[in-house]
């Protein structure tokens, strides 16, 4: 089978007993970075010496074919540098191919920078989205943030410390300077830090320079107080622009909180009366 093994995101004490036992018995490790994997084995006191092969963004599609074929007979343990493979890390194409070929895939759950940052952020955790790394180029970053400006769920991003101040400035510009944000730095490590404030405040704070691995947690958009009649009018505007009635009702419902079916029926009735 294919075994996706979550590894510590900073503190080696977070390595699970199952992870240690699996590494002790592993025959083949597919690792994002073979040197990091070897260092992990030494640090955990693993006496086993499995064959370690690289599995990264540049070779995954090609290497997945060989690994899936091997996994029909032996277990293949997949490691990313930190956290769970496939989550903004290599492994997705491997798992997809394994599923197509009928090869079993399982996971050893464990540390996750996304969930850890969300938990300590102080922002709503009942509904959230993970958006990966923000684009490097400002134009592409602003375009993406503009698309996400109306997102109601809490959003989690990865970001480079070198681009953090610029990204926070862009978040303030597109989401509004008062949008609540938490910058989670060096999670589970000695210098762990969580800084909370508005996008505007944290953009100013980050301008002084920030180090370490960063998770950015951003509050979702608050639903506007929109009357039902106004919401129905917006549905009809979208329909007039070419959007299907069903899709228009769903979009306006998401942004206003009014029932999708109620908006659909009201817009339909208004059309018939007209």
């Amino acid at each position: 089978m294919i075994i996706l093994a979550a590894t510590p995101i900073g503190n080696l004490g977070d390595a699970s007993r199952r992870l240690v036992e699996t590494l002790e018995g592993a025959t083949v490790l597919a690792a994002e970075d073979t040197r990091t994997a070897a260092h992990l084995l030494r640090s955990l006191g693993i006496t086993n010496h499995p064959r370690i092969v690289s599995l990264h963004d540049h070779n995954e599609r090609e290497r997945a074919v060989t690994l899936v074929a091997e996994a029909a007979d032996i277990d293949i343990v997949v490691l990313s540098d930190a956290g769970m493979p496939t989550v903004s890390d290599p492994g997705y194409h491997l798992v997809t191919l394994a599923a197509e070929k009928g090869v079993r895939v399982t996971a050893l759950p464990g540390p996750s920078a996304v969930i850890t940052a969300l938990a300590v952020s102080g922002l709503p955790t009942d509904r959230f989205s993970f958006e990966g790394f923000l684009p490097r180029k400002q134009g592409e970053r602003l375009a993406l943030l503009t698309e996400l400006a109306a997102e109601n769920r809490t959003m989690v991003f990865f970001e480079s410390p070198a681009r953090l101040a610029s990204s926070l400035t862009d978040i303030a510009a597109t989401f509004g300077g008062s949008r609540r944000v938490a910058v989670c730095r060096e999670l589970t490590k000695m210098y762990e830090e969580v800084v909370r404030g508005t996008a505007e405040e944290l953009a100013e704070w980050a301008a002084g320079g920030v180090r370490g691995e960063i998770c950015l947690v951003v509050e979702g958009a608050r639903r506007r107080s929109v009357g039902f009649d106004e919401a129905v009018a917006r549905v009809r505007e979208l329909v007039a622009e070419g959007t299907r009635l069903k899709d228009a009702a769903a979009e306006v419902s998401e942004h206003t909180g009014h029932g999708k079916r109620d908006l659909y029926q009201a817009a339909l009735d208004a059309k018939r009366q007209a």
Side-chain angles (χ1 to χ4, degrees):
M1 70 178 76
I2 302 289
I3 302 173
L4 306 175
T7 55
I9 60 175
N11 191 322
L12 282 174
D14 293 332
S16 70
R17 180 180 297 179
R18 285 185 67 197
L19 173 64
V20 173
E21 291 174 350
T22 298
L23 293 176
E24 280 286 12
T27 302
V28 179
L29 299 183
E32 181 179 7
D33 187 311
T34 57
R35 293 167 299 180
T36 300
H39 177 71
L40 177 67
L41 295 176
R42 290 193 299 270
S43 299
L44 293 177
I46 304 297
T47 57
N48 182 31
H49 296 285
R51 175 165 60 94
I52 305 177
V53 299
S54 63
L55 183 74
H56 48 69
D57 290 340
H58 302 294
N59 73 357
E60 183 178 353
R61 289 181 183 273
E62 179 181 351
R63 185 140 291 172
V65 176
T66 303
L67 291 173
V68 168
E70 286 190 77
D73 301 312
I74 61 173
D75 292 343
I76 305 293
V77 181
V78 182
L79 304 175
S80 64
D81 288 347
M84 178 61 73
T86 77
V87 181
S88 204
D89 275 322
Y92 167 73
H93 297 295
L94 177 67
V95 172
T96 300
L97 183 60
E100 290 176 358
K101 299 298 183 181
V103 173
R104 184 182 171 194
V105 179
T106 190
L108 303 184
S112 165
V114 177
I115 299 301
T116 302
L118 181 69
V120 302
S121 69
L123 295 171
T125 59
D126 53 338
R127 297 175 68 239
F128 72 95
S129 67
F130 171 56
E131 302 296 338
F133 279 94
L134 283 165
R136 294 171 178 268
K137 296 181 179 179
Q138 186 182 36
E140 294 175 4
R141 187 166 61 239
L142 286 170
L144 174 62
L145 290 172
T146 299
E147 290 180 11
L148 294 173
E151 173 60 66
N152 299 128
R153 296 171 294 178
T154 300
M155 292 162 278
V156 183
F157 302 90
F158 289 158
E159 187 50 289
S160 157
R163 295 191 299 273
L164 179 62
S166 297
S167 290
L168 286 167
T169 298
D170 290 343
I171 288 171
T174 52
F175 291 5
S178 62
R179 187 73 70 92
R180 292 188 296 163
V181 176
V183 174
C184 305
R185 189 179 71 84
E186 293 291 270
L187 289 169
T188 77
K189 299 177 184 177
M190 182 180 296
Y191 297 106
E192 175 178 293
E193 181 181 30
V194 180
V195 182
R196 304 176 182 88
T198 65
E200 195 171 60
E201 292 168 345
L202 293 191
E204 184 176 347
W205 164 79
V210 180
R211 293 182 178 181
E213 296 185 352
I214 304 291
C215 279
L216 195 56
V217 187
V218 183
E219 177 185 31
R222 297 176 184 177
R223 286 179 172 171
R224 297 175 297 171
S225 178
V226 176
F228 185 71
D229 290 344
E230 184 181 348
V232 173
R234 179 55 184 155
V235 171
R236 298 189 68 193
E237 287 176 6
L238 290 173
V239 170
E241 293 169 2
T243 304
R244 291 195 312 165
L245 177 55
K246 180 180 179 180
D247 295 336
E251 180 178 334
V252 175
S253 173
E254 178 67 22
H255 295 159
T256 65
H258 293 295
K260 179 170 58 177
R261 292 184 180 180
D262 294 336
L263 291 170
Y264 180 95
Q265 190 59 52
L268 190 62
D269 292 342
K271 179 181 178 180
R272 288 170 177 167
Q273 292 173 5

